[in-house]
């Protein structure tokens, strides 16, 4: 019963009380809408207390407001661990600042005789409640951390249910007692606003940042330059303030979005075993490829002959790729005469590697700029980008005892003779120097 | 001599030798994008050869997997052929080997029969759609540009909104500071003037 | 005014004094006193700054990529793939680099055309123009060298085709000279065919030499722009002006903000690689055939398609002539009216658009086939 009053009844009492009280105070004692400055009574510890207190409480309240008023946006932001941790850290630091400031103010009220004279009971009550509220908040942050995250799913909907006049305490009823006490105290503070110096929150000079500049200008000519300076320095200061505020908000947003990813970018990937294995396999495959190329080069430097295939493996329609002595790609076909037909596969236009399958007219295609080469003559088709023919390559045929039985020169002339019976046992080679058998 | 043989055999299979050219031809003409065997196979040069992911280089265990996969004539829950990639295996598992062989004459039906529910790479474009588009069904960074863009935009809507807010606010701050400096400068100048 | 009787040294001294007037070389003159003309074509004044902005993005993202990229033929492709797949934010950084590169080149092209049309090269802005043309050339070289680094099929094959076209020059040269283009090509490649040596030197060019050259040329360019101000750009006697600081700077920054947002969104949502067929993105295989669809990047289409369509010597002679004319524009077009220059620039823009967007169609109409 007590609990549901504190969670559902007190809020409405507080809000209504706050509104009614403010109106009453505005109508009856309009000029008391202020913090009742005691600066002229004592100013040293006032600055020491007031500055940190206001700065701290402003940051803390801004954080609370952002999380409770825009829970969805906020939930998206705190999904980033960096942002969440930063918010918690900033929140704790600001609370500490506010606590220190408030303590100084309290001590001042209690010890300084001149200030004591103007201190009412309400002032002391307000200070004590705030001190308690801050202690509660810090305790919550320490004992139930990450409130910036969990409040979006509990406190924010609760607050919105109150504001939309569909009060629903089910989401907060099971929260820890510390949180409920913090909530109740918060409503208490709202209720206190119109009846204490707290009323000055309604006159926070935020409008200062946007209102038109108001400057008192001396009509005295001697003061001319100082008044002009004042007329521009004040707006300039306002611009700087506004700029600094926007830069810190924008910078904080940018940092929230990128800091974590950036950190992880430079931290580097830590792959799972499976990912690492896949990456290593890919790299290994590439290393093998590089190794193959190197082996081909070494082989060509050292060997007098390079074996292409057995004669029976050659096909008349589909060429076999091989690499010639200059490390250029070439194709091996079976010619119409039953002998090998070796032709360069490096397009004479811009050096792409031609395809290996013949089309209906016995031509291979270079896919880069569409030249068709007749493999018998090597000639490109009319109008093709390539003008020069693909050159034929010389070859030798050897039997299994490594005896050269036949060969063809680069000029296309054949030497030696192939016995059709033995053809199956012969292998096709390219030779470093042209070989002729009689 | 052994080296020679390896080299020649390797080179012999450097060209796509895939058994299912019909699908490749259809995808290329339908999408206008060139594709190769890596759409469904492990190796971009097709299953035959001795390169990685080709039949010639399979270990004993992989051969067994290949034989089991080749027996999947009817649709089955899992197919795990070493010469197929995840998309190829999905196709065989869903349609069965027999149906795939039949579809060689109607490659345009593959997408509809596979259905548009699967998205192996999680790029927001169903595998069947990627087949029609000629984009890679297993690469998160590859897809028909417009489809990919809209999907990613929706997926990143929050970041985009935050980026917009951050850029706008930072810009506003920078401009304010600049104007502040300009005012200071102006004050400085006109202060000297009279 | 110089006359032929002046000794050369005093003419040089006068030239330098006019381009770098000592009384203007102070912060007050360079930043505060500068005025920017305001007229219908004022939008063109933002292009140089925009190109600079994209260049800055390139520097930052490029440095980040350097942390992971490995410039060897065996590792380059895998390291790039690892950046996209495994490094946090790697795909975004790589896409930012690619998109911002294209954006930078596009902006540079428009910048060159608009400054030409506005006759921004006229005296005393010759140095601005020449340093700007140098920057434009550097930017294209950045594109050409950077394209090779991922070492995939399209990268290596397009580079091969590009470099091989130098060699075709040999057929027009007599005797021993005919071999020179081959020497030039092999010097650029560092070996007879594109391989590790090419990758190493393209990498060195892309990450060390070209950035240094850019900083030097950019220094001259920016100093000249600030000393002489923006050219008036239009044939109106009375031109409204606004102060460079803060008004123009504020607008410039706003343009940068919009560009930053747009390029980030595009890089976040559309991988640059998705524009290419995937077989072209596989690692380069020197022992296999060349895959279909090898083409240079879009910003080379304006020389690529003419190379495909016209006889080689026409293209070479034409581009040498155009390039020479562009570099010497301040002295060639010194007396040309802005109206004529605008027509020339519009013609060039139309040509660029035609070749970039419809080059393929033009080719097919003229040649009847796929290039």
């Amino acid at each position: 019963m007590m609990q549901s009053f504190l969670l559902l009844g007190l809020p409405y009492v507080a809000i209504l009380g706050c509104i009614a009280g403010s109106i009453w105070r505005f109508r009856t004692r309009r000029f008391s809408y202020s913090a009742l400055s005691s600066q002229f009574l004592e100013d040293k510890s006032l600055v020491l207390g007031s500055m940190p207190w206001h700065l701290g409480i402003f940051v803390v309240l801004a954080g609370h407001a952002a999380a409770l008023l825009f829970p969805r946006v906020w939930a998206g932001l705190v999904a980033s661990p960096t942002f969440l941790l930063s918010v918690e850290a900033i929140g704790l630091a600001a609370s500490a600042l506010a606590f220190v400031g408030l303590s100084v103010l309290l001590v001042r009220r209690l010890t300084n005789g001149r200030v004591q004279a103007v201190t009412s009971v309400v002032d002391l009550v307000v200070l004590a409640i705030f001190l308690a509220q801050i202690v509660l908040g810090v305790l919550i942050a320490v004992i139930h951390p990450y409130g910036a995250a969990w409040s979006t799913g509990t406190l924010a909907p609760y607050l919105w249910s109150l504001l939309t006049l569909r009060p629903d305490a089910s989401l907060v009823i099971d929260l820890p007692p510390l949180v409920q006490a913090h909530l109740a105290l918060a409503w208490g503070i709202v209720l206190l606003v119109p009846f204490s110096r707290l009323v000055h929150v309604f006159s926070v000079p935020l409008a200062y940042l946007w209102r038109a500049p108001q400057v008192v200008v001396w009509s005295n000519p001697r003061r001319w330059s100082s008044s002009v300076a004042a007329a521009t320095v004040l707006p300039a200061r306002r611009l700087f303030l506004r700029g600094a505020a926007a830069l810190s908000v924008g910078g904080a947003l940018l940092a929230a979005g990128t800091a974590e990813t950036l950190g992880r970018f430079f931290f580097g990937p830590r792959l799972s075993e499976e990912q690492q294995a896949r990456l290593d396999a890919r790299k290994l495959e590439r290393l093998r490829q590089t190794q193959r190329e190197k082996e081909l080069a070494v082989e060509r430097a050292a060997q007098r002959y390079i074996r292409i295939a057995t004669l029976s493996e050659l096909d008349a329609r589909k060429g076999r790729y091989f690499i010639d002595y200059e490390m250029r790609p070439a194709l091996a076909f079976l010619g119409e005469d039953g002998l090998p037909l070796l032709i360069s596969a490096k397009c004479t236009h811009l050096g792409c590697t031609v395809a290996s399958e013949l089309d209906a007219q016995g031509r291979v295609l270079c896919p880069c700029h569409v030249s068709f080469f007749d493999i018998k003559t090597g000639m490109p088709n009319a109008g093709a980008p390539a003008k020069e023919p693909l050159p034929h390559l010389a070859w030798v045929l050897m039997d299994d005892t490594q005896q050269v039985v036949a060969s063809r020169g680069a000029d296309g002339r054949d030497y030696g003779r192939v016995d059709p019976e033995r053809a199956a046992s012969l292998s096709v080679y390219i030779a470093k120097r042209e070989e002729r058998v009689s | 001599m052994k080296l020679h043989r390896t080299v020649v055999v390797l080179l012999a299979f450097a060209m796509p030798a895939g058994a299912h050219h019909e699908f490749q031809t259809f995808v290329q003409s339908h999408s206008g994008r060139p594709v190769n065997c890596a759409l469904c196979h492990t190796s971009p040069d097709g299953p035959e050869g001795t390169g990685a992911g080709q039949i010639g280089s399979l270990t004993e265990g992989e051969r067994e997997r290949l034989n089991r996969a080749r027996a999947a004539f009817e649709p089955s829950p899992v197919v795990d052929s070493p010469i197929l990639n995840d998309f190829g295996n999905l196709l065989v598992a869903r349609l069965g080997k027999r149906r795939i062989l039949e579809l060689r004459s109607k490659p345009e039906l593959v997408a509809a029969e596979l259905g548009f529910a699967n998205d192996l790479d999680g790029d927001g474009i169903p595998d069947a759609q990627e087949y029609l588009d000629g984009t890679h069904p297993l690469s998160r960074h590859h897809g028909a540009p417009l489809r990919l863009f809209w999907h990613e935009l929706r997926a990143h809507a929050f970041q985009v909104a935050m980026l917009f807010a951050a850029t706008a606010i930072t810009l506003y701050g920078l401009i304010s500071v600049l104007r502040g400096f300009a005012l200071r400068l102006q004050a400085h100048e006109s202060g000297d003037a009279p | 005014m110089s006359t032929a009787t002046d000794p050369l040294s005093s003419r040089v001294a006068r030239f330098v004094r006019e381009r770098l007037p000592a009384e203007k070389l102070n912060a007050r003159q360079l930043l505060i006193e500068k005025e920017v003309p305001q007229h219908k074509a004022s939008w063109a004044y933002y292009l140089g700054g925009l190109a600079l902005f994209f260049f800055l993005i390139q520097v930052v993202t490029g440095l980040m990529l350097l942390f992971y990229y490995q410039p060897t033929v065996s590792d380059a492709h895998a390291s790039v793939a690892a950046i996209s797949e495994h490094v946090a934010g790697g795909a975004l950084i790589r896409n930012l680099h690619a998109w911002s590169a294209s954006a930078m080149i596009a902006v540079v092209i428009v910048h060159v055309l608009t400054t030409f049309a506005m006759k921004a090269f006229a005296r005393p802005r010759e140095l601005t123009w020449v340093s700007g043309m140098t920057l434009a050339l550097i930017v294209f070289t950045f594109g050409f060298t950077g394209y090779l680094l991922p070492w995939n099929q399209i990268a290596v094959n397009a580079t091969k085709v590009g470099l091989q076209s130098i060699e075709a020059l040999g057929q027009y040269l007599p005797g021993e000279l005919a071999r020179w283009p081959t020497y030039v090509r092999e010097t650029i490649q560092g070996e007879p065919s594109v391989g590790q040596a090419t990758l190493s030197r393209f990498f060195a060019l892309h990450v060390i030499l070209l950035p240094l050259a850019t900083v030097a040329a950019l220094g001259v360019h920016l100093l000249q722009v600030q000393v002489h101000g923006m050219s008036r750009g239009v044939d109106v006697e009375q031109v409204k002006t606004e102060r460079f600081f803060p008004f123009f700077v504020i607008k410039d920054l706003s343009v940068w903000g919009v560009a930053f947002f747009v390029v980030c969104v595009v890089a976040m949502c559309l991988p640059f690689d998705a524009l290419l067929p995937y077989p072209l993105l596989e690692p380069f295989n020197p022992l296999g055939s060349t895959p279909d669809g090898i083409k240079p990047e879009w910003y080379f289409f304006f020389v690529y398609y003419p190379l495909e369509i016209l006889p080689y010597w026409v293209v070479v002679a034409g581009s040498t002539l155009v390039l020479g004319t562009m570099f010497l524009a301040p002295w060639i077009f010194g007396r040309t009216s802005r109206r004529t220059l605008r027509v020339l620039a519009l013609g060039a823009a139309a040509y660029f658009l035609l070749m970039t967007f419809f080059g393929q169609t033009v080719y097919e109409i003229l040649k009847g086939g796929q290039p």
Side-chain angles (χ1 to χ4, degrees), chain C residues 34-48:
Chain C
K34 187 180 164 187
E35 298 268 330
V36 180
Q38 276 187 307
H39 46 73
K40 255 196 293 186
S42 287
W43 57 270
Y45 294 132
Y46 300 101
L47 294 169

Side-chain angles (χ1 to χ4, degrees), chain A residues 232 242 246 292 299 307-308 321, chain B residues 4 8 10-11 169 172 187:
Chain A
T232 49
R242 212 194 279 175
R292 278 201 295 268
E299 187 195 20
R307 188 176 181 281
I308 310 300
Y321 283 104
Chain B
H4 294 197
V8 170
L10 281 174
L11 292 174
I169 295 172
Y172 178 74

Side-chain angles (χ1 to χ4, degrees), chain A residues 254 260-262 264-271 275 279 282-283 286-287 289-290 292-293 296 321 323 327 329 346 349-356 365 367-370 383 385, chain C residues 64-65 67-68 70 73-75 77-79 81-82 85-90 93 151 160-161 164-165 260 283-292 294 304 308 363 367 370-371:
Chain A
L254 271 182
E260 191 193 343
T261 312
L262 264 182
R264 288 200 294 136
F265 180 93
F266 290 112
F267 181 68
R270 299 293 183 271
L271 301 184
Q275 288 172 324
L279 185 64
R282 198 191 279 168
K283 287 194 166 174
R286 295 294 299 161
L287 283 173
Q289 170 107 44
T290 315
R292 278 201 295 268
E293 289 161 37
L296 287 171
Y321 283 104
I323 301 292
M327 291 300 290
K346 185 180 175 183
H349 177 219
L350 292 174
C352 294
T353 303
V354 301
S356 64
L365 164 73
C368 286
H369 302 94
V370 198
Chain C
M64 290 175 78
L65 292 175
F67 276 64
Y68 291 104
Q70 297 166 342
V73 293
S74 49
D75 290 345
H77 187 272
S79 70
E85 282 162 28
H86 300 308
V87 178
I93 295 297
W151 205 252
K160 274 185 169 183
V161 170
Q164 193 81 28
S165 59
F260 174 76
F284 172 62
N285 174 12
L287 304 182
S289 67
T290 310
D292 288 350
I294 297 294
Y304 168 74
E308 300 291 318
Y363 177 88
K367 286 279 180 168
Q370 299 269 323

Side-chain angles (χ1 to χ4, degrees), chain C residues 64-366:
Chain C
M64 290 175 78
L65 292 175
L66 263 182
F67 276 64
Y68 291 104
Y69 176 70
Q70 297 166 342
T72 64
V73 293
S74 49
D75 290 345
H77 187 272
S79 70
V80 171
I83 291 175
S84 288
E85 282 162 28
H86 300 308
V87 178
L92 177 65
I93 295 297
R94 185 160 124 69
N95 282 318
L96 259 182
H97 199 70
W99 279 112
S100 157
S102 273
M104 172 169 70
I105 294 185
V107 170
V108 163
I109 292 174
V110 183
H111 185 45
V112 170
L113 289 176
T114 50
T115 42
F116 182 81
M118 292 163 85
K119 205 175 176 181
F121 48 71
R123 188 179 169 182
R125 298 188 177 83
E126 296 95 334
L127 284 184
T128 323
W129 176 262
V130 173
S131 58
M133 283 307 293
T134 312
L135 280 170
L137 273 190
I138 292 176
V139 162
F140 277 96
T141 320
F142 260 124
F144 189 69
T145 49
Y147 203 49
L148 180 68
L149 302 186
W151 205 252
N152 49 32
Q153 289 278 23
I154 189 162
V156 183
N157 283 302
T159 304
K160 274 185 169 183
V161 170
L163 289 175
Q164 193 81 28
S165 59
I166 297 175
E167 200 163 296
L169 197 60
Q171 56 186 307
Y172 303 111
L173 299 175
E176 186 59 21
L177 273 181
R179 303 172 65 89
W180 277 56
T182 311
Y183 297 146
V184 171
R185 177 177 66 83
E186 293 195 2
T187 308
I188 296 173
Q189 283 173 192
E191 56 191 331
S193 65
V194 174
Q196 178 62 55
T198 321
L199 181 57
S200 297
R201 49 185 65 193
F202 272 38
F203 180 64
L205 280 171
H206 191 80
V207 307
I208 307 280
L209 274 178
L210 292 175
L212 286 180
T214 309
V215 169
L218 201 57
V220 175
H221 195 67
L222 287 181
L223 183 67
Q224 286 289 307
V225 168
Q226 292 308 103
V227 167
H228 300 297
M230 267 72 158
S231 99
R232 203 183 53 199
V234 285
D235 287 319
V236 183
E237 277 313 313
Q238 285 292 320
V239 174
K240 269 203 313 182
T241 60
E242 66 180 341
R243 294 194 118 185
F244 175 73
F245 182 87
F247 301 111
F248 185 80
V249 175
I250 284 174
K251 289 183 195 166
D252 220 13
L253 272 183
S254 312
V255 173
W256 288 22
V258 173
F260 174 76
F261 176 70
V262 170
V263 80
C264 282
V265 168
V266 172
M268 219 187 311
C269 299
L270 183 54
F272 200 76
D273 280 353
L275 302 177
L276 287 170
Y278 72 82
L280 297 177
L281 304 171
E282 287 166 0
F284 172 62
N285 174 12
L287 304 182
S289 67
T290 310
D292 288 350
I294 297 294
K295 260 186 224 175
E297 268 292 61
W298 65 268
Y299 42 78
F300 285 118
F301 282 1
F302 76 101
V303 287
Y304 168 74
Y305 281 110
L307 271 175
E308 300 291 318
I309 297 167
L310 300 170
Y312 183 74
W313 68 269
V314 176
V315 180
V316 171
S319 28
T320 315
L321 193 72
V322 169
L323 196 61
T325 314
M326 287 302 276
F327 259 95
L328 299 177
W331 297 277
I332 294 177
F333 297 107
R335 291 169 196 285
T336 316
S337 74
R338 287 205 169 81
R339 179 191 291 268
T340 316
L341 291 177
R342 200 155 53 227
V343 170
L344 282 175
L346 276 176
Y351 169 76
F352 261 109
L353 292 176
L354 179 72
M355 281 303 155
T356 308
F357 291 102
F358 307 104
Q360 184 75 27
T361 322
V362 172
Y363 177 88
E364 279 164 21
I365 291 169
L366 293 177

Side-chain angles (χ1 to χ4, degrees), chain A residues 211-229:
Chain A
R211 71 162 192 230
Q214 299 163 6
V215 178
V216 182
V217 180
W218 295 90
S219 55
N220 184 342
R222 279 188 300 122
R223 305 272 191 136
W224 166 255
S225 72
S226 71
S227 63
V228 168

Side-chain angles (χ1 to χ4, degrees), chain B residues 13-190:
Chain B
F13 292 106
M15 265 307 278
H20 298 334
H21 272 308
E22 299 81 1
F23 300 116
Q24 186 180 355
T25 317
F26 163 74
V27 171
Q28 291 189 163
S29 64
H30 183 266
S31 68
R33 278 183 172 231
V35 297
N36 63 14
C37 307
L39 192 64
C40 310
H41 286 275
T42 312
S43 163
D45 297 327
E48 282 145 48
T50 55
Q54 292 181 317
I55 293 175
S57 73
L58 297 185
T59 61
E60 199 60 42
E62 288 172 328
R63 250 173 236 285
E64 249 171 62
R65 275 167 53 204
L66 176 64
N67 286 334
R68 245 178 290 136
R70 281 186 164 166
F73 281 100
E74 300 307 326
S76 55
V78 182
V79 175
D80 181 24
S81 165
I83 58 165
L84 293 179
N85 64 24
D86 290 352
F87 179 63
N89 278 320
L90 178 77
L91 272 179
V92 179
R94 281 293 160 80
L95 306 181
K97 184 127 195 213
R98 191 192 311 282
R99 185 64 187 147
I100 287 181
L101 293 177
E102 285 167 15
L103 283 175
R104 281 195 296 184
S105 57
K106 298 184 212 68
E108 66 278 10
L109 295 183
V110 168
E113 296 203 6
L114 178 64
F116 289 77
N118 283 77
D119 181 12
L120 287 169
D121 54 4
D123 61 5
I125 308 173
D127 301 326
Q129 187 63 49
E130 297 224 47
Y131 168 84
L132 293 176
D133 291 340
T135 58
H136 208 292
L138 298 177
S139 166
R140 199 157 45 88
H141 307 291
H142 205 258
L146 272 183
R147 279 185 227 285
L148 201 54
F149 182 78
W150 286 119
H151 173 264
E152 295 288 305
L153 193 64
R154 274 198 294 273
H156 291 117
F158 181 74
Q159 281 101 317
V160 170
M162 285 296 113
L163 178 69
F164 182 80
T167 315
I169 295 172
T170 310
L171 195 62
Y172 178 74
L174 271 178
I175 291 175
S176 299
V177 170
L178 275 180
R179 286 179 50 204
F181 275 120
L183 267 183
R184 274 280 180 81
L185 202 72
Q186 203 184 325
H188 192 65
E189 280 172 4
S190 50

